């Protein structure tokens, strides 16, 4: 039973990470003020730590 709970928590964290990364990726892709290099940089950051870099992206 403990394993099931652990796997459920890991699964929810993975789903949350994926949804946040896709949201940031989409926002960066639509931003016309960024050049190609900046877009690629933000997209890579979105894949690694999306929640942390979402705040930095919004405050820039």
């Amino acid at each position: 039973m403990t394993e099931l709970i652990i796997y459920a928590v890991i699964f929810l964290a993975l789903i949350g990470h994926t949804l946040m990364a896709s949201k940031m990726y989409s926002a960066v892709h639509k931003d016309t003020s960024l050049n190609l290099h900046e877009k690629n940089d933000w997209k890579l950051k979105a894949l690694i730590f999306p929640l942390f870099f979402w705040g930095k992206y919004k405050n820039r």
Side-chain angles (χ1 to χ4, degrees):
M1 186 66 178
T2 305
E3 280 185 34
L4 184 60
I5 293 171
I6 293 170
Y7 290 145
V9 169
I10 291 172
F11 179 74
L12 289 175
L14 183 62
I15 293 297
H17 182 277
T18 305
L19 291 174
M20 191 64 207
S22 67
K23 180 179 179 179
M24 183 175 172
Y25 189 93
S26 176
V28 168
H29 188 71
K30 292 177 184 175
D31 192 350
T32 58
S33 68
L34 299 173
N35 64 29
L36 184 63
H37 178 70
E38 291 171 327
K39 282 185 181 185
N40 288 339
D41 189 42
W42 280 113
K43 287 176 184 179
L44 180 62
K45 290 176 183 178
L47 293 175
I48 299 170
F49 296 113
L51 192 58
F52 176 71
F53 285 113
W54 177 254
K56 287 192 171 212
Y57 173 71
K58 284 296 191 182
N59 290 334
R60 66 163 175 82

